[in-house]
């Protein structure tokens, strides 16, 4: 059962409960497309930041109080980060816990190194930290138009996860080409690619003549070979990459133990 403490969006009668969040903000087209699509399958609570929080990663708001606002469409707006939204929704806004957390649909790719900075991936990670199956889904392109395609693949993958859950220490990071659904060639399970170093900062001045700086462009693809998320998208496939929540490099433990004896 969903909490009476805040309004929520749901459609139809379903046993499954899904928390939807994002990093583009509660008014973004991607979160609406995702909510509508998943409402065919489950009761959906949609809780998102009140502004664009792209690049927020796993940040939490620690020095200011969080406030919520119930919107006319039933979504809940939070003056915090994507991680705040998921944490607040699960710990406070739900009477009963959700069955799954789904983050997106992000406006733009979350592939390779981008996943370290992504608020969308972080929202899914927070869901998994709190003990729930979670996925992040992003639409890859420039002038994005096919949110319906990403929403349909989100629906299919969530329906499959309902029957066959993934491992407890993983989330799925899904990237969908911005194409009509009939143009998608299929789904590929991939690993993260890699980029070259990002370009330098862009220095300019404000109207008062003071120096200001903007983050430079992303680096070009460094590893976009067969099997990577970059390659799958380039070929017209949906990329599904399992990400582990435990960042320990287990394969290096024995070697590091030998190395540390020399310190």
């Amino acid at each position: 059962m969903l909490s009476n403490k805040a309004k929520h969006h749901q459609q139809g009668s379903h046993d499954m409960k899904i928390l939807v969040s994002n990093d583009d903000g509660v008014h973004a087209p991607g979160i609406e497309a995702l909510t509508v699509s998943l409402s065919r399958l489950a009761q959906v609570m949609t809780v998102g930041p009140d502004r664009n929080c792209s690049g927020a990663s796993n940040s939490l708001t620690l020095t200011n109080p969080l406030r919520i606002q119930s919107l006319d469409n039933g979504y809940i707006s939070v003056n915090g980060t994507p991680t705040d939204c998921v944490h607040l929704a699960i710990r406070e806004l739900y009477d009963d816990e959700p069955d799954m957390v789904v983050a997106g649909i992000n406006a733009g790719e979350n592939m390779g190194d981008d996943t370290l900075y992504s608020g969308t991936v972080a929202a899914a990670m927070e869901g998994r930290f709190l003990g729930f199956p979670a996925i992040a889904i992003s639409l890859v392109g420039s002038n994005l138009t096919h949110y319906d395609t990403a929403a349909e693949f989100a629906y299919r993958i969530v329906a499959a996860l309902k029957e066959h859950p993934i491992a407890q220490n993983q989330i799925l990071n899904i990237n969908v080409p911005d194409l009509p659904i009939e143009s998608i060639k299929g789904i590929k399970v991939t690993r993260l690619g890699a980029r070259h170093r990002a370009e330098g900062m862009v220095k300019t001045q404000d109207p008062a003549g003071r120096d200001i700086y903007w983050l430079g462009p992303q680096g070009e693809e460094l590893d976009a070979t067969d099997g990577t998320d970059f390659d799958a998208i380039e070929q017209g496939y949906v990329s599904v990459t399992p990400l582990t929540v435990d960042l320990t490099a287990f394969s290096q433990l024995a070697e590091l133990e030998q190395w540390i004896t020399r310190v």
Side-chain angles (χ1 to χ4, degrees), residues 135-139 153-154 157 172-176 238-241:
I135 68 173
I137 185 162
S138 305
L139 186 62
F153 277 100
I157 290 170
L172 296 183
N173 184 41
I174 303 161
N175 284 272
V176 181
V238 173
S239 165
V240 178
T241 307

Side-chain angles (χ1 to χ4, degrees), residues 177-245:
D178 185 33
L179 297 171
I181 196 162
E182 61 271 15
S183 299
I184 300 292
K185 293 181 180 178
I187 301 175
K188 283 191 174 182
V189 175
T190 60
R191 60 181 172 85
L192 295 179
R195 294 187 185 277
H196 288 280
R197 289 191 304 172
E199 300 294 329
M201 303 293 291
V202 177
K203 180 180 178 181
T204 183
Q205 291 185 325
D206 67 13
R210 294 168 297 197
D211 290 340
I212 56 175
Y213 302 87
W214 295 93
L215 191 66
Q218 293 176 314
E220 295 297 321
E221 295 167 6
L222 174 63
D223 178 10
T225 54
D226 184 49
T228 65
D229 44 10
F230 290 122
D231 182 65
I233 292 295
E234 179 66 25
Q235 300 301 322
Y237 289 87
V238 173
S239 165
V240 178
T241 307
L243 302 180
T244 180
V245 175

Side-chain angles (χ1 to χ4, degrees), residues 32-174:
E32 179 180 5
L34 184 61
T35 298
V36 171
S37 182
L38 295 184
S39 293
R40 297 151 50 197
L41 185 67
Q43 298 177 31
V44 178
M45 175 184 274
T46 302
V47 183
D50 61 359
R51 65 205 179 284
N52 190 317
C53 289
S54 296
S57 190
N58 298 82
S59 58
L60 284 166
T61 301
L62 301 179
T63 57
N64 295 297
L66 296 177
R67 294 180 172 87
I68 68 171
Q69 179 182 4
S70 294
L71 306 180
D72 290 342
N73 60 2
Y75 301 174
I76 298 169
S77 174
V78 180
N79 64 327
T81 68
T83 301
D84 289 329
C85 292
V86 172
H87 196 93
L88 178 64
I90 291 175
R91 293 301 192 204
E92 183 64 24
L93 302 182
Y94 268 105
D95 283 338
D96 295 331
E97 296 174 336
D99 298 296
M100 187 179 299
V101 175
V102 182
I105 299 167
N106 191 68
E109 66 194 59
N110 277 313
M111 302 190 294
D113 314 66
D114 305 341
T115 57
L116 294 173
Y117 305 102
S118 169
T120 297
V121 173
M125 284 282 191
E126 184 66 13
R128 182 52 94 179
F129 285 150
L130 295 176
F132 306 99
I135 68 173
I137 185 162
S138 305
L139 186 62
V140 184
S142 50
N143 299 314
L144 300 173
T145 56
H146 296 288
Y147 284 99
D148 56 327
T149 299
E152 176 60 26
F153 277 100
Y155 172 85
R156 296 179 187 181
I157 290 170
V158 168
L161 287 173
K162 182 179 179 182
E163 301 300 324
H164 303 286
I166 58 174
Q168 286 291 324
N169 65 338
Q170 294 178 8
I171 69 166
L172 296 183
N173 184 41
I174 303 161

